[in-house]
Amino acid sequence: MTNAKPTSAAKPKPWTEAATHLVDVAMGRKPADLVIRNGRWVNVHSGEIIPRTDIAIAAGRFAYCGPNAGHAIGQGTKVVDAGGRYLVPGLCDAHMHVESGMVTVTEFCRAVIPHGTTSMFIDPHEIANVLGLPGVRLMHDEAVAMPINVHVQMPSCVPSAPGLEHAGAELTVADVAEAMTWENIIGLGEVMNFPGVAANDPVMSGEIAETVRAGKTVGGHYASPDLGLPFHGYVAGGAEDDHEGTRAEDAIARVRQGMKAMLRLGSAWYDVAAQIKAVTEGGIDPRNFILCTDDSHSGTLVHEGHMDRVVRHAISQGLKPVTAIQMATLNTAQHFRLEREIGSIAPGRLADFLIVSDLAQMTIDEVYGRGVRLAKAGKLEIDIPAYDYPPTAKSTVKLGKRLKAADFDIAAPQGANEVRARVIGVIENQAPTRALEADLAVEDGLVAMDRRNDICQIALVERHRGTGGVTNAFVSGFGYVEDCAMASSVAHDAHHIIVVGTNKEDMALAVNRLSEVGGGVVLYSKGKELALVEMPIAGLMSDERAEIVAAKAEQLTEAMRKVGCSLNNAYMQHSLLALVVIPELRISDVGLVDVTTFQKVDLFI
């Protein structure tokens, strides 16, 4: 006798091979594998909730959806009484990065399946920035092995801003063309180089053309409030969606231009409430609005949820439950040209569905994927074997030297007693930053931090080629009040090491510690390690279980609070400080970058 959990069913046959069997089941000539009786059918095609509905499932697909599936019940058919509960299509995350969860694709799936996610569209551009095309292939192959639908978008911008940063790898038009032939590539990942698209950069236009030739979807990323000619040029360049909007007018502009407005609620990005007003107050047709998470860390997944959390939030902002569910199911499926496979409870589609007892609160009692029950009462019921990453995906943190406190010294201009410096300003719960300025004192020829005014030091340490390079600058918004430093090898998008601190000795200790463990995130205070989340896979992902990683992440969050940081999900804010494609001011291995002009700028004014 074994206590092992059952494994999920094999991937269903294509509809073309299963269709005749589905017809026989629908006609009552053959028995269904599973029949769910007496449910309230949340029909995302018609916008109705239809009571007293039965659904019959065969070969991992829906065969019959109607008032009475008794004719499909035979010997061997499993029958489940829904008891008047809601039958909801499995939820889809239209745009997200697995690496932001700090875990592998396998562990991400283990974490989100109990929350009703049965389809994900992942953009592995984090691992691509470290390992290039081979890294994308690793995550692609892992995704294929999952018991739910994990489709992969080929990363488009590695590096994200050529000339303004140096990543660990570089992807070309030829790489994109090759990836478009892989079985599980669904399209091109977010095209972040929006100035390049507007300027007809040959790499950007070439990648988009290869994707369109393959008949696949081009993901967008227009991270600018300017809705003038640069926006129109970007749309004309081929992007089909965008998740970077933060205002209602952003969502409206995208939909009017034929794009899909993706509204995200991640661990630190709260962009649904403002943009959903385009629908609830502006009356814009919701069919072109899609919900997604973008970035969710393991603590959010384990303790708060995934797409169920996003749908619940959207409903709380005034959307009808069916409309919110459409935005997380059918709208997503249609956008990726998968309407015949996923996104609804309808004949022929994969039998991905939820049994929900409270629709507005998205209380999920049971989760089914491909006709197999995957989770019940918030607990995973299947076994998903761990995916083994090769040694080439590890040991990727290469500093070239052991850092010392002096590596973080910022020399003042000759003879200066005070300097006016540029400061990166963190905006809570948003990806953009502010370009601030501050007058800072000079002590013994070195520029001093100003902890009283919440200005501490930030440094980017090169970690791909062992150059020993350190870029120093200043940041505001974390609220640290103690001697401390937090370092992370997750630093979107080039993924060097970012360290933020009030004490240079702690900054050196934190960076060196990441070199020892192969990457992750660590917090030091007064020479003592307070928290550590090891992420040895490309310096981006842990090889431990999601709940273990979540516990370590919670310890990190608590440690950050103890040293004065009160930001919501400050780790996520920290990890984006080098993202040189989102305004206004960022840091890279090249220096400080003004992302409103896409130019390197001096630290001192």
Side-chain angles (χ1 to χ4, degrees):
M1 180 72 89
T2 177
N3 293 321
K5 293 182 178 180
T7 56
S8 57
K11 191 172 183 177
K13 295 179 181 178
W15 175 85
T16 50
E17 296 179 21
T20 55
H21 182 60
L22 297 178
V23 171
D24 284 339
V25 173
M27 294 296 294
R29 292 190 289 262
K30 290 184 179 179
D33 300 323
L34 171 68
V35 168
I36 309 293
R37 311 209 72 171
N38 189 27
R40 295 191 219 181
W41 181 14
V42 178
N43 193 309
V44 291
H45 291 286
S46 65
E48 301 171 281
I49 298 176
I50 305 169
R52 297 178 296 280
T53 295
D54 291 358
I55 57 176
I57 295 161
R61 296 178 180 271
F62 297 113
Y64 169 89
C65 307
N68 185 350
H71 62 285
I73 297 174
Q75 187 174 7
T77 301
K78 182 177 180 180
V79 179
V80 174
D81 186 356
R85 292 174 293 174
Y86 299 92
L87 305 179
V88 177
L91 303 179
C92 308
D93 192 345
H95 172 74
M96 46 89 64
H97 307 285
V98 164
E99 302 98 316
S100 294
M102 307 177 176
V103 294
T104 61
V105 177
T106 300
E107 285 306 309
F108 203 101
C109 289
R110 287 186 69 255
V112 303
I113 287 171
H115 292 290
T117 300
T118 59
S119 295
M120 302 191 300
F121 296 82
I122 72 172
D123 181 352
H125 72 211
E126 321 303 350
I127 200 169
N129 271 273
V130 180
L131 298 175
L133 192 62
V136 178
R137 186 75 208 205
L138 283 171
M139 292 189 73
H140 169 278
D141 292 351
E142 184 181 12
V144 170
M146 293 300 100
I148 60 174
N149 316 303
V150 183
H151 297 284
V152 181
Q153 293 178 293
M154 174 60 185
S156 62
C157 300
V158 179
S160 63
L164 295 177
E165 67 177 357
H166 300 96
E170 183 176 349
L171 295 180
T172 66
V173 175
D175 291 329
V176 170
E178 177 186 333
M180 291 300 147
T181 67
W182 300 352
E183 65 173 301
N184 200 34
I185 292 290
I186 198 69
L188 189 66
E190 54 182 314
V191 181
M192 296 176 286
N193 186 1
F194 53 91
V197 174
N200 275 330
D201 174 86
V203 174
M204 291 296 93
S205 59
E207 290 183 357
I208 292 170
E210 290 292 346
T211 305
V212 174
R213 287 191 192 100
K216 299 182 179 182
T217 304
V218 179
H221 172 116
Y222 183 79
S224 170
D226 183 358
L227 297 176
L229 291 183
F231 171 69
H232 289 271
Y234 183 72
V235 178
E240 297 177 70
D241 60 57
D242 189 29
H243 57 276
E244 288 296 335
T246 59
R247 309 164 299 179
E249 56 262 42
D250 294 331
I252 292 170
R254 286 152 175 78
V255 169
R256 284 176 176 170
Q257 295 294 322
M259 300 176 80
K260 299 296 191 297
M262 289 187 175
L263 316 186
R264 63 183 172 186
L265 179 73
S267 291
W269 326 134
Y270 286 60
D271 297 325
V272 173
Q275 293 186 89
I276 207 63
K277 291 178 181 178
V279 175
T280 58
E281 298 179 8
I284 299 296
D285 190 330
R287 78 181 74 183
N288 291 312
F289 287 72
I290 292 173
L291 297 176
C292 68
T293 65
D294 198 0
D295 297 294
S296 294
H297 75 60
S298 56
T300 301
L301 301 177
V302 171
H303 301 303
E304 300 179 42
H306 189 230
M307 284 305 299
D308 58 331
R309 171 176 175 260
V310 185
V311 172
R312 192 180 304 120
H313 174 71
I315 293 170
S316 75
Q317 299 303 312
L319 277 185
K320 293 192 303 182
V322 173
T323 304
I325 291 168
Q326 286 171 325
M327 291 182 183
T329 56
L330 181 62
N331 293 8
T332 305
Q334 290 176 330
H335 177 55
F336 288 104
R337 303 167 176 84
L338 290 174
E339 184 183 352
R340 289 188 63 92
E341 285 290 294
I342 63 172
S344 66
I345 296 174
R349 278 68 171 179
L350 292 175
D352 302 335
F353 67 98
L354 321 174
I355 298 179
V356 174
S357 52
D358 186 325
L359 200 61
Q361 293 300 318
M362 282 304 292
T363 305
I364 300 171
D365 298 339
E366 299 181 34
V367 179
Y368 288 79
R370 305 169 183 173
V372 175
R373 193 169 75 185
L374 306 179
K376 182 178 181 180
K379 302 294 183 183
L380 195 67
E381 290 196 327
I382 60 165
D383 181 56
I384 310 176
Y387 188 82
D388 188 25
Y389 276 77
T392 53
K394 301 177 182 180
S395 301
T396 61
V397 177
K398 303 166 186 175
L399 301 184
K401 66 179 182 181
R402 188 166 181 83
L403 271 71
K404 301 176 181 178
D407 289 308
F408 304 103
D409 287 345
I410 299 178
Q414 188 70 32
N417 295 317
E418 185 179 80
V419 297
R420 188 160 187 82
R422 289 183 169 87
V423 179
I424 301 170
V426 173
I427 304 174
E428 186 167 20
N429 292 330
Q430 288 194 4
T433 63
R434 293 189 180 95
L436 306 177
E437 297 177 5
D439 293 319
L440 300 175
V442 175
E443 301 172 0
D444 299 325
L446 301 178
V447 182
M449 300 177 236
D450 187 357
R451 194 186 302 178
R452 290 177 58 185
N453 290 307
D454 191 21
I455 297 174
C456 57
Q457 203 161 314
I458 180 172
L460 184 140
V461 180
E462 199 281 331
R463 68 107 160 171
H464 297 305
R465 297 172 179 85
T467 66
V470 179
T471 303
N472 287 299
F474 296 99
V475 66
S476 176
F478 286 100
Y480 293 130
V481 296
E482 302 286 347
D483 284 349
C484 65
M486 188 170 84
S488 171
S489 57
V490 177
H492 304 265
D493 275 329
H495 297 294
H496 295 290
I497 289 177
I498 283 181
V499 57
V500 172
T502 61
N503 177 275
K504 296 174 187 177
E505 286 77 14
D506 284 332
M507 292 173 75
L509 287 170
V511 174
N512 291 330
R513 181 66 166 138
L514 293 186
S515 177
E516 294 168 1
V517 300
V521 56
V522 65
L523 179 65
Y524 270 79
S525 180
K526 300 174 183 177
K528 181 181 178 182
E529 183 182 297
L530 301 186
L532 170 67
V533 184
E534 304 94 329
M535 298 186 227
I537 300 173
L540 302 172
M541 296 176 286
S542 172
D543 51 8
E544 295 184 295
R545 284 285 166 113
E547 51 269 33
I548 296 173
V549 178
K552 291 182 177 181
E554 180 57 36
Q555 183 181 356
L556 174 70
T557 300
E558 183 57 33
M560 293 180 75
R561 291 194 192 102
K562 288 181 179 178
V563 294
C565 183
S566 59
L567 281 178
N568 176 53
N569 272 306
Y571 162 72
M572 298 293 285
Q573 307 272 183
H574 178 110
S575 70
L576 261 69
L577 293 172
L579 188 50
V580 291
V581 291
I582 297 183
E584 294 176 338
L585 189 63
R586 304 283 167 168
I587 190 171
S588 83
D589 62 310
V590 171
L592 270 185
V593 177
D594 181 337
V595 191
T596 62
T597 63
F598 281 87
Q599 292 181 338
K600 178 184 173 182
V601 294
D602 292 332
L603 176 59
F604 304 126
I605 300 170

